[in-house]
Amino acid sequence: MTSIDFQSWTNTHLTRFERVLEDLLPPAKAAPQRLHQAMRYAVLDGGKRVRPLLAFAAAELTGAELSRVHIAAASVELIHAYSLVHDDMPCMDDDVLRRGKPTCHVQYDEATALLVGDSLQTLAFQLLAEHRLNDDAARQLEMIKLLASASGSRGMAGGQAIDLESVGKALSVPELELMHIHKTGALIRAAILLGAHCGNMAAPELAKLDHFGKCVGLAFQVVDDVLDEEADTATLGKTAGKDADNDKPTYVTLLGVQAARAMAHTLHQDALDSLAEFGDAARRLRELADFIVLRKY
Ligand code: GRG
């Protein structure tokens, strides 16, 4: 698929991936129906699917089987969807709009939303354990460990804890960076590495990809902060200006819009530099880095 343009590559992958997610999620008619319907509501038909796309693009460097990459990408997207459902609940960010729709606890109820997050998280690990993702069992075990540490208290959930503690506080830029490397960056990095682990990439190349992931993960958050300030709710599909309203430190509040954009530009360049050795095979990763930094939603 290297000869088609980025938009066609994305559309082709996402159309196929939506069907994969539909099949991997429990059917809406299976009991307990309300929980299964709410899981499907939280995952299907929404979101940019940036993490799965990064997994597909990283896997292209290895020639991994697409059916395997689908499972790895789905596991990351399920963790991401769970984090959004829990983040939107009244005990956390208390938001009513996500992916252009009422949030899960608004559409269903709080107890259901809590169980949706729990069930999506466990389903993610079930997929990684149940499907053959690499002929080398040790590498597959590494994938499970990777997603667990990226999601848990030393990764995304830890970053969320720091986020909740930082409301109303004046963080320094390095403190803010540490928070976002965990909260947003860890899962983005994991998506890239899981895609690569579906093939057999050697450690030096994995390290380069990991650096790419670290840069785009942070750039994603810097741009998110700028968009939270500059874009409107309809464009974002979630409530704009939420961070400022909640008195949360952001790159924009600490640095201002212009310096935040400059930081995203530096991270973008650093990310592209780390792909130099991969040549044209890394074309989709470069295009995704461009999308992450230049996106308007
Ligand atoms: C509840 C354990 C737990 C963690 C929550 C991811 C997260 C941590 C909170 C989401 C709140 C937020 C706005 C985070 C900053 C950046 C981010 C992850 C935005 C949402 O990701 P997108 O833009 O969402 O990829 P879509 O809907 O496109 O998939």
Side-chain angles (χ1 to χ4, degrees):
M1 285 218 278
T2 42
S3 57
I4 62 173
D5 65 58
F6 178 62
Q7 199 55 54
S8 310
W9 178 85
T10 301
N11 291 345
T12 306
H13 266 298
L14 291 189
T15 306
R16 257 192 316 232
F17 186 59
E18 198 65 20
R19 286 199 299 269
V20 170
L21 287 172
E22 280 174 18
D23 290 345
L24 292 173
L25 283 160
K29 289 201 167 138
Q33 289 186 5
R34 186 175 170 80
L35 176 59
H36 290 159
Q37 282 160 13
M39 287 167 75
R40 298 177 74 85
Y41 178 83
V43 175
L44 298 175
D45 190 27
K48 297 178 286 296
R49 309 284 194 221
V50 165
R51 294 153 194 80
L53 288 170
L54 285 166
F56 301 142
E60 282 193 2
L61 297 173
T62 71
E65 275 176 42
L66 189 57
S67 59
R68 294 181 170 189
V69 190
H70 276 154
I71 300 296
S75 71
V76 176
E77 189 64 13
L78 294 183
I79 295 283
H80 172 58
Y82 122 68
S83 79
L84 299 180
V85 169
H86 280 190
D87 181 67
D88 289 332
M89 290 181 68
C91 60
M92 296 213 194
D93 229 20
D94 193 9
D95 216 328
V96 295
L97 189 70
R98 172 70 66 182
R99 294 175 162 178
K101 311 189 280 194
T103 46
C104 191
H105 68 277
V106 169
Q107 182 74 14
Y108 291 88
D109 54 76
E110 278 183 43
T112 303
L114 193 66
L115 292 171
V116 163
D118 296 341
S119 306
L120 293 177
Q121 178 169 204
T122 44
L123 180 57
F125 289 102
Q126 188 182 336
L127 294 180
L128 289 188
E130 223 168 49
H131 295 256
R132 170 58 68 196
L133 302 178
N134 194 293
D135 294 338
D136 177 359
R139 203 182 268 262
Q140 180 152 352
L141 200 56
E142 188 56 39
M143 293 168 79
I144 299 173
K145 276 163 56 182
L146 215 152
L147 187 65
S149 59
S151 316
S153 63
R154 291 170 195 270
M156 181 185 73
Q160 179 77 348
I162 304 172
D163 183 303
L164 293 170
E165 282 164 14
S166 70
V167 173
K169 287 192 187 153
L171 295 189
S172 63
V173 172
E175 284 169 336
L176 189 68
E177 187 168 306
L178 187 78
M179 174 173 95
H180 288 306
I181 281 176
H182 290 83
K183 181 179 147 183
T184 315
L187 201 59
I188 288 180
R189 277 167 94 168
I192 295 165
L193 293 181
L194 286 182
H197 274 306
C198 290
N200 290 310
M201 188 176 276
E205 280 77 40
L206 280 171
K208 293 207 168 63
L209 264 196
D210 192 33
H211 186 73
F212 171 81
K214 187 176 173 191
C215 294
V216 291
L218 199 53
F220 185 96
Q221 184 59 54
V222 177
V223 172
D224 216 69
D225 286 354
V226 171
L227 292 175
D228 190 61
E229 175 77 15
E230 292 193 331
D232 56 49
T233 297
T235 309
L236 295 178
K238 60 181 182 180
T239 313
K242 200 75 207 293
D243 291 335
D245 291 352
N246 287 348
D247 202 14
K248 280 191 181 176
T250 70
Y251 286 101
V252 172
T253 56
L254 288 190
L255 302 171
V257 168
Q258 225 172 346
R261 281 203 182 280
M263 184 177 173
H265 177 75
T266 305
L267 288 163
H268 185 199
Q269 199 49 55
D270 197 358
L272 296 181
D273 290 347
S274 63
L275 298 178
E277 280 179 27
F278 293 109
D280 194 50
R283 172 180 170 189
R284 301 309 179 191
L285 284 175
R286 288 189 193 93
E287 289 170 336
L288 281 164
D290 298 346
F291 168 74
I292 284 169
V293 174
L294 303 174
R295 71 199 164 100
K296 302 277 178 251
Y297 60 97

